[in-house]
Amino acid sequence: MKTKDFCFDLPENLIAQFPPKERGQSRLMTLDRTYGFIKHETVSKLPEILCEKIFLSPSGKKPLLVFNDTKVRKARLCAKNIKTGTETEFLLLEDKKNDGFLWKAMAKRASRIKIGSIFEVEQVKAEVIGHEDGYILLRFKNAVTDEWLENYGHVPLPPYIKRKDERADSERYQTIYAKETGSAAAPTAGLHFTKETIESLKKNGIDSAFVTLHVGLGTFLPVRSENIQDHTMHSETYCINDSTAVKIENAKNEGRKIIAVGTTSVRTLESAWEDGKLKKGKSNTSIFIYPGYKFNVIDALFTNFHTPESTLLMLVSAFAGKEVIMQSYAEAIKEQYRFFSYGDAMLIY
């Protein structure tokens, strides 16, 4: 299977540069993956939609939604080379010793940045002490903690958003239920959910569970290999607590439908499923889901519209079928849906 098989032409004006004026007011495409039927709805109607017969168990029980409660770090730093004055952006990916001093970071043309170079960020100095798998190792003179980043870091907006981050992004590029800090990007399907929507889901008898997967480069790095089977995913950390595992296992046993909110929730659930149960606790995953994969846990997926030739597009194609997805994307373009992180959503069932 070729990477180019997952290419499509997207008009640039459909790439959302800002979130909708109000959270939760995005459009929602519903897609029946068996027959390819499409309906055009709004996200605010989701609680009603999930009460329809198609989402109920044979005994009439309502589905379980699974969210990813990771929290985005303000991990993008604007630094200046003390010797040359050159400005460089770093995206902090991993606190190597969990003490805030040694960070693995992403930078443009990282291999050209010399070991021994010293940068300054908000009067804090950082020395490049090495390279690791194409990334930079930065040793800071003072501890760079999540609290420090909250004050001096920038929201790590994806590169297809062609603007600098604004104050509003601190709130809008974060889910309302974000809890566990550690992501370099938002689990964007969750950005659509408001307190009112979640309350409405509860009132309609639709239960929720939370997993944690810290979104890293494994989710977003482009597929550069010609054959998709040759692509290697970067590892990401996830955690499933006891109560979530019990909820999901009980739902499966009762025949209730499991609806993953976002591809990161899918990857967490499918990675942890083993012999009819979810592995509890903390683990790592480099799972790459593409057409031919047999899903073990999820029955439906709430997600955004994804970039061409991406692992995310391959995942939704594995779930719904490539032709069905490509047809639905063509319909979304025709109907002027907004794409990517701040864009509209789709519910695949």
Side-chain angles (χ1 to χ4, degrees):
M1 199 173 298
K2 305 293 185 184
T3 300
K4 66 182 180 183
D5 294 337
F6 296 87
C7 185
F8 63 91
D9 293 323
L10 179 68
E12 194 170 331
N13 67 296
L14 296 185
I15 301 174
Q17 297 299 307
F18 292 89
K21 287 183 180 179
E22 292 184 34
R23 192 190 292 264
Q25 295 304 307
S26 296
R27 297 168 72 189
L28 174 66
M29 174 188 285
T30 66
L31 172 64
D32 180 330
R33 60 189 171 127
T34 303
Y35 300 104
F37 294 153
I38 288 172
K39 287 184 181 179
H40 303 292
E41 304 281 2
T42 59
V43 171
S44 60
K45 288 188 178 178
L46 185 65
E48 302 168 37
I49 294 168
L50 295 183
C51 289
E52 293 174 4
K53 188 176 180 180
I54 189 69
F55 294 103
L56 304 183
S57 74
S59 62
K61 291 186 176 180
K62 293 178 180 177
L64 173 69
L65 282 172
V66 182
F67 297 88
N68 180 8
D69 67 1
T70 188
K71 188 174 183 180
V72 182
R73 277 193 178 109
K74 285 189 176 180
R76 186 167 60 87
L77 299 179
C78 302
K80 182 177 282 189
N81 187 307
I82 286 180
K83 185 176 180 180
T84 65
T86 306
E87 292 188 351
T88 300
E89 278 195 3
F90 293 107
L91 179 62
L92 302 187
L93 298 174
E94 181 185 354
D95 184 353
K96 297 289 286 184
K97 295 184 177 179
N98 294 315
D99 61 5
F101 288 93
L102 182 62
W103 284 84
K104 180 179 178 180
M106 184 180 182
K108 287 184 179 179
R109 296 181 287 277
S111 61
R112 298 185 185 180
I113 300 176
K114 296 179 180 178
I115 294 174
S117 298
I118 297 176
F119 291 84
E120 188 173 58
V121 185
E122 297 293 337
Q123 299 182 334
V124 174
K125 290 184 173 60
E127 181 182 359
V128 177
I129 64 166
H131 297 88
E132 183 180 290
D133 301 325
Y135 303 104
I136 295 288
L137 290 177
L138 282 175
R139 185 170 60 203
F140 288 84
K141 187 174 181 181
N142 303 91
V144 171
T145 62
D146 288 327
E147 292 75 19
W148 187 90
L149 289 170
E150 192 61 33
N151 289 321
Y152 300 109
H154 292 265
V155 177
L157 295 177
Y160 47 73
I161 294 180
K162 306 294 185 183
R163 63 177 177 82
K164 293 182 178 180
D165 63 308
E166 300 177 359
R167 182 177 294 179
D169 292 307
S170 297
E171 176 199 353
R172 296 302 300 275
Y173 195 67
Q174 195 84 267
T175 64
I176 64 164
Y177 48 80
K179 183 180 177 184
E180 305 293 340
T181 303
S183 277
T188 53
L191 298 180
H192 298 283
F193 287 81
T194 64
K195 289 180 181 178
E196 292 75 18
T197 303
I198 291 176
E199 282 301 316
S200 182
L201 288 165
K202 288 179 183 176
K203 287 178 183 176
N204 280 280
I206 298 165
D207 202 2
S208 299
F210 294 87
V211 297
T212 304
L213 181 139
H214 292 314
V215 187
L217 295 178
T219 301
F220 294 104
L221 272 184
V223 179
R224 294 193 173 94
S225 55
E226 181 181 358
N227 299 310
I228 67 171
Q229 294 92 334
D230 296 333
H231 177 71
T232 301
M233 296 283 284
H234 281 62
S235 182
E236 294 169 313
T237 303
Y238 71 85
C239 185
I240 298 175
N241 64 37
D242 291 357
S243 62
T244 287
V246 169
K247 269 190 179 184
I248 293 168
E249 289 165 12
N250 287 345
K252 293 294 286 184
N253 292 333
E254 294 167 358
R256 293 164 60 202
K257 295 187 184 295
I258 307 293
I259 303 176
V261 177
T263 55
T264 57
S265 296
V266 176
R267 295 180 67 241
T268 302
L269 295 174
E270 296 294 325
S271 296
W273 192 254
E274 193 174 88
D275 299 325
K277 294 192 176 220
L278 282 174
K279 290 184 290 183
K280 304 175 186 72
K282 190 174 179 181
S283 190
N284 295 307
T285 181
S286 55
I287 190 172
F288 179 21
I289 297 175
Y290 54 85
Y293 178 85
K294 182 181 180 298
F295 288 83
N296 297 298
V297 186
I298 72 162
D299 301 288
L301 170 59
F302 180 95
T303 187
N304 280 19
F305 292 90
H306 302 296
T307 55
E309 299 187 351
S310 65
T311 61
L312 305 181
L313 182 58
M314 293 168 190
L315 185 153
V316 296
S317 297
F319 187 62
K322 186 173 77 71
E323 294 307 317
V324 170
I325 287 296
M326 288 304 183
Q327 288 167 11
S328 68
Y329 272 48
E331 175 74 4
I333 291 168
K334 176 186 169 187
E335 295 295 325
Q336 299 283 290
Y337 274 71
R338 288 154 46 91
F339 275 65
F340 309 161
S341 293
Y342 275 149
D344 295 314
M346 68 188 307
L347 175 64
I348 310 170
Y349 61 92

